[in-house]
Amino acid sequence: MSTLLEVRNLKKHYPIRKGFFSKQVGAVKAVDGITLSVEQGETLAVVGESGCGKSTTGRAILRLIEPTEGEIMFNGTDVRSLNTEQLRRFRTDMQMVFQDPYASLDPRWTVQRILEEPLRTHGSAASSGELKSRVEQLMEVVGLSPYQAHRFPHEFSGGQRQRIGIARALALNPKFIVCDEPVSALDVSIQAQVLNLMQDLQEQYGLTYMFISHDLSVVKFISDRVAVMYLGRVVELAPTKELFAKPLHPYTQALMSAVPVPNPGQKKQRIVLTGDVPNPETPPSGCAFHPRCPYAMDRCKSEAPALRTLDTGHQVSCHLY
Ligand code: ADP
Ligand code: MG
């Protein structure tokens, strides 16, 4: 396996400005030093509670927002060094599927136009005949009938709309797709269909996914490896099987004990998350999880643990290990 994406010490801080002169009075540390890599053809899940910086991470990697700091290497290219024109061409390789297909599809456009748009802006298909046949092909690939191409987004169900979002992301034959909670807005009965489609497409086109989700049962189903985020940082990263069998970080253990156990005979020690996610403007000292951690020691209040790789390859940032 080869590495497709390498992210080092990625940060995104949003300045907080106050007063008439918009003086900067602080920063929201939405993403605060993320290091991870994504292998060619794999699905890396990014999980964590709402507000922990998952979407910001995905967007910063694609430079849909400008990172504050850090390094992003994609297939040998330093993404942060690209100028606007280089970035535009580069975008054909890296796409995004959004959580809310209602909001991410222009309601005034037909599916035909929505799917033609990336092809037109990147000039990869010239004649209207070529555009039409490419749109038909894209619709078939995601399980929609090409005869519905003249319809508008509101004429489709939620699941079908997400299929349109996926078709749009596929239009330029990308290598890598950031999927930001792509099934979270869908009924549970529809989620599996869309996840299966995404897996089929991955196999068929050799796609690599970063799959953002707050839902551990979805993550368990779809991903090869999982990165667990807490307050802008990765606190644990491991192969999916290993993580679910042996979660090391107390935060990961707490997330998992909140998931219903499929086999009720199997007893699980419950760790209940007390308190709210702290404000990323004023993160706690030391380990950011210490105020909610049942195992917190003195050291955890003053010293931030580094993300360490154990002998098993499992990465964890916690003073217990
Ligand atoms: P997640 O996707 O995990 O729910 P986000 O990446 O959306 O988290 O947000 C991480 C943190 O950054 C949150 O505290 C959020 O309020 C903050 N944030 C996100 N976007 C902005 C922005 N444009 N300006 C200021 N703060 C932001
Ligand atoms: Mg999000």
Side-chain angles (χ1 to χ4, degrees):
M1 254 211 257
S2 63
T3 301
L4 182 64
L5 173 74
E6 256 193 287
V7 175
R8 253 180 251 134
N9 196 31
L10 182 69
K11 294 187 183 178
K12 177 65 189 181
H13 293 179
Y14 290 105
I16 304 162
R17 300 181 191 282
K18 293 236 165 77
F20 186 70
F21 294 104
S22 299
K23 189 168 164 302
Q24 185 175 341
V25 295
V28 179
K29 295 174 178 167
V31 174
D32 202 26
I34 283 195
T35 297
L36 53 80
S37 60
V38 186
E39 303 299 311
Q40 177 76 49
E42 80 163 338
T43 298
L44 176 76
V46 176
V47 298
E49 287 164 288
S50 172
C52 71
K54 304 181 295 297
S55 298
T56 305
T57 301
R59 285 162 196 261
I61 288 171
L62 302 190
R63 276 188 63 191
L64 295 171
I65 51 175
E66 282 303 324
T68 307
E69 204 181 306
E71 204 176 295
I72 303 161
M73 293 297 290
F74 182 82
N75 214 10
T77 302
D78 177 359
V79 177
R80 289 199 64 198
S81 73
L82 301 177
N83 64 30
T84 316
E85 175 52 27
Q86 290 168 324
L87 188 60
R88 195 187 68 89
R89 268 183 276 135
F90 199 69
R91 283 269 158 71
T92 60
D93 278 349
M94 303 168 96
Q95 290 288 317
M96 188 140 180
V97 171
F98 297 91
Q99 169 170 4
D100 185 357
Y102 300 71
S104 65
L105 302 175
D106 192 319
R108 301 159 303 172
W109 286 11
T110 62
V111 175
Q112 177 78 32
R113 178 146 181 224
I114 288 168
L115 298 182
E116 266 181 14
E117 202 259 352
L119 301 170
R120 282 183 197 279
T121 40
H122 290 272
S124 50
S127 72
S128 65
E130 276 173 326
L131 285 173
K132 192 161 179 282
S133 69
R134 177 73 177 133
V135 167
E136 276 175 13
Q137 187 203 3
L138 283 167
M139 290 188 77
E140 271 166 4
V141 158
V142 298
L144 295 170
S145 311
Y147 73 80
Q148 297 176 312
H150 63 281
R151 296 196 183 164
F152 293 89
H154 75 263
E155 296 177 79
F156 293 87
S157 68
Q160 288 174 320
R161 255 186 293 229
Q162 195 52 290
R163 287 171 193 262
I164 300 168
I166 293 167
R168 180 179 57 183
L170 289 177
L172 298 165
N173 297 314
K175 294 187 173 69
F176 177 66
I177 303 182
V178 173
C179 313
D180 191 356
E181 310 245 14
V183 299
S184 302
L186 305 177
D187 289 348
V188 175
S189 59
I190 308 296
Q191 287 187 0
Q193 294 172 16
V194 175
L195 291 172
N196 281 323
L197 169 69
M198 294 182 70
Q199 273 187 331
D200 291 346
L201 294 170
Q202 179 170 42
E203 230 166 87
Q204 208 173 331
Y205 298 106
L207 297 168
T208 304
Y209 291 149
M210 175 177 271
F211 193 98
I212 295 172
S213 179
H214 67 273
D215 186 338
L216 284 173
S217 53
V218 167
V219 163
K220 194 173 182 180
F221 176 79
I222 194 109
S223 62
D224 299 301
R225 293 189 303 143
V226 184
V228 181
M229 276 186 76
Y230 190 74
L231 226 61
R233 297 204 178 154
V234 173
V235 296
E236 184 163 6
L237 202 161
T240 308
K241 268 201 190 125
E242 159 91 13
L243 188 92
F244 280 86
K246 212 172 122 202
L248 296 180
H249 199 285
Y251 177 61
T252 312
Q253 292 172 3
L255 280 183
M256 283 186 186
S257 62
V259 176
V261 186
N263 171 8
Q266 180 190 342
K267 271 264 188 288
K268 251 194 173 180
Q269 194 198 345
R270 276 186 73 87
I271 300 176
V272 181
L273 277 177
T274 49
D276 290 330
V277 181
N279 185 339
E281 274 177 50
T282 48
S285 61
C287 170
F289 186 59
H290 88 258
R292 300 171 84 191
C293 182
Y295 309 114
M297 309 171 278
D298 275 347
R299 185 182 177 195
C300 306
K301 294 174 194 163
S302 55
E303 194 186 323
L307 187 66
R308 292 196 309 124
T309 306
L310 309 181
D311 293 341
T312 54
H314 200 133
Q315 295 177 51
V316 64
S317 92
C318 175
H319 290 309
L320 292 173
Y321 303 96

